Amino acid sequence: MRLWSTVLVVLVLVLVRAKADDGFVSTRGQQLILNGSPFYANGFNAYWLMYFGSDPSQRNKVSSAFEEAVKHGLSIGRTWAFSDGGDSPLQYSPGSYNEKMFQSILTRINSFTGVAYKDDPTIMAWELMNEPRCPSDPSGNTIQAWIREMGSYLKSIDGKHLLEAGLEGFYGQSRNQGNPNFQVGTDFIANNQIPEIDFATVHSYPDQWLTGSTNQNQLSFLNTWLNEHIQDAQNILHKPVLFAEFGKSTKNSASDQRDQLYNAVYSAVYSSARGGGAAVGGLFWQLLVEGMDSFRDGYEVILSENPSTANLISQESRRLIRIRKMYARLRNIEKLKRAKEIGRAEWEEALKGGNNNSPGN
């Protein structure tokens, strides 16, 4: 969302359920790969994580949120790892940092685990900036040059983690018919074709982009928006696409309309993933738990308070987990098949050797 984008620089996707011995998430074509198998993830946004995590008296809310997430099968969380100025900033002024908030920078050693963030496999990916925009240059050249420069710089420090740009998914001037009626100086195709960018991201807020439009028109736009980006990621970019933010405010609409939007996103992701397509997951905006009232923005989901939405989230988690398990089984079958083939070849070779060395030869 654009509510806080002016103070954000770096974001991080955290593997909520990763074990210590899990490897780094990588890509293979249009799939994310974890421990040799395709990885699909249902997830959430947690803008508040750095704020509550920095305060020992509030830190229990982070644990509570992660426990709720795991109960509902959520496996990745997206959080902010930088802020300039304002309330509880990481950087008070240029070069002056707030040590209490300094918990997610690439070369920093984690004060709890002793592991540098750039070496930590529980971090899935880095994001350059939340929703970068440059409306003063609708050609997209300014953003393109910035992503190229910063992507190269980040990869020179950390070559283990995946990187994405943080784009909302708006197309450039050559193909702006898929956009809402505004230009922001980004290009979903060109920006994500930069080699250092490992996967694409898309945000989806038809209630903000199509104000005054009916719920049905917003859903129609959303379905086209989702399918176009999945197809472009699959057929043009040949990279995974993550729907990194989506939501609908309940301040101006009923909760069943939000459920309709969630169902549309989840259905598109599942349909693509089930067929081996480019969609690898979705992250709703945003997960809260009780006691986080100051962060309520109308888009929040408190799972205990929103049972219908919670059921949709759990259902999507189960479906994506089944796909991951299916790929893991297929991988194990293929490994067993290869082992049998190797074993058969070795056995046949041994028999040949035995015949050559038998008495009378």
Side-chain angles (χ1 to χ4, degrees):
M1 299 185 74
R2 296 212 57 80
L3 298 178
W4 303 285
S5 61
T6 55
V7 297
L8 305 176
V9 178
V10 180
L11 289 87
V12 59
L13 291 165
V14 181
L15 290 166
V16 175
R17 304 187 68 180
K19 299 177 182 178
D21 58 349
D22 281 343
F24 289 86
V25 178
S26 60
T27 60
R28 185 169 63 207
Q30 61 195 30
Q31 292 178 319
L32 296 177
I33 301 296
L34 178 62
N35 297 329
S37 296
F39 177 65
Y40 297 93
N42 202 23
F44 61 95
N45 280 273
Y47 167 75
W48 44 264
L49 186 59
M50 185 173 70
Y51 181 86
F52 284 105
S54 67
D55 184 351
S57 68
Q58 298 289 320
R59 200 168 288 161
N60 65 304
K61 292 184 176 64
V62 176
S63 299
S64 296
F66 272 55
E67 288 168 1
E68 284 292 298
V70 170
K71 285 180 186 177
H72 291 77
L74 298 168
S75 53
I76 57 174
R78 175 175 174 262
T79 190
W80 276 238
F82 206 92
S83 62
D84 282 329
D87 183 38
S88 300
L90 175 67
Q91 185 171 237
Y92 290 116
S93 59
S96 298
Y97 296 97
N98 179 357
E99 179 64 22
K100 189 175 80 167
M101 304 296 291
F102 207 164
Q103 300 294 319
S104 267
I105 305 300
L106 271 65
T107 58
R108 180 179 170 79
I109 304 298
N110 187 307
S111 56
F112 294 99
T113 66
V115 178
Y117 289 102
K118 67 184 182 66
D119 298 323
D120 190 344
T122 60
I123 295 173
M124 176 185 137
W126 299 107
E127 180 173 288
L128 291 179
M129 181 183 287
N130 177 58
E131 302 181 351
R133 292 184 177 187
C134 186
S136 62
D137 182 7
S139 73
N141 292 335
T142 299
I143 290 289
Q144 182 79 352
W146 180 83
I147 294 174
R148 192 181 300 277
E149 177 185 1
M150 298 309 299
S152 178
Y153 175 69
L154 189 142
K155 286 287 190 175
S156 72
I157 299 173
D158 181 356
K160 296 178 181 178
H161 288 104
L162 300 178
L163 176 65
E164 45 97 352
L167 297 171
E168 297 159 274
F170 300 124
Y171 292 96
Q173 288 182 306
S174 63
R175 190 183 164 187
N176 59 18
Q177 69 272 12
N179 289 345
N181 191 28
F182 53 82
Q183 284 283 330
V184 299
T186 62
D187 188 326
F188 178 75
I189 301 298
N191 297 159
N192 284 306
Q193 284 178 324
I194 293 172
E196 288 78 13
I197 300 303
D198 296 298
F199 63 95
T201 60
V202 176
H203 296 187
S204 303
Y205 292 106
D207 64 339
Q208 291 186 16
W209 300 343
L210 305 175
T211 55
S213 181
T214 65
N215 181 62
Q216 195 56 46
N217 285 341
Q218 291 175 8
L219 283 174
S220 178
F221 167 84
L222 176 65
N223 285 318
T224 300
W225 179 259
L226 297 169
N227 291 326
E228 282 187 351
H229 286 82
I230 291 172
Q231 292 303 312
D232 288 341
Q234 187 168 313
N235 300 324
I236 300 176
L237 299 176
H238 309 293
K239 294 180 180 181
V241 59
L242 179 71
F243 292 93
E245 283 191 32
F246 63 89
K248 185 178 181 71
S249 175
T250 56
K251 288 183 177 180
N252 303 310
S253 60
S255 59
D256 66 318
Q257 292 186 1
R258 179 174 68 183
D259 288 349
Q260 290 173 11
L261 180 139
Y262 273 50
N263 186 59
V265 175
Y266 287 153
S267 295
V269 169
Y270 174 67
S271 178
S272 172
R274 183 179 58 181
V280 292
L283 287 71
F284 65 87
W285 185 281
Q286 61 170 327
L287 176 67
L288 298 184
V289 294
E290 293 179 2
M292 293 183 175
D293 291 350
S294 62
F295 283 87
R296 287 179 180 262
D297 57 3
Y299 293 83
E300 76 280 350
V301 174
I302 298 178
L303 294 165
S304 61
E305 294 181 1
N306 306 110
S308 62
T309 307
N311 286 336
L312 283 173
I313 291 168
S314 295
Q315 173 184 280
E316 178 72 352
S317 296
R318 290 192 297 269
R319 295 196 300 187
L320 294 183
I321 288 170
R322 283 199 298 269
I323 293 175
R324 286 163 55 187
K325 288 182 176 179
M326 177 195 71
Y327 276 112
R329 285 196 298 270
L330 291 174
R331 180 170 176 260
N332 289 335
I333 291 171
E334 186 61 29
K335 286 170 65 177
L336 179 61
K337 180 181 177 181
R338 287 198 301 268
K340 287 181 177 179
E341 290 174 349
I342 292 171
R344 185 181 301 112
E346 291 178 346
W347 176 250
E348 291 174 352
E349 188 64 29
L351 287 177
K352 290 179 183 177
N355 289 335
N356 290 337
N357 296 321
S358 61
N361 287 342

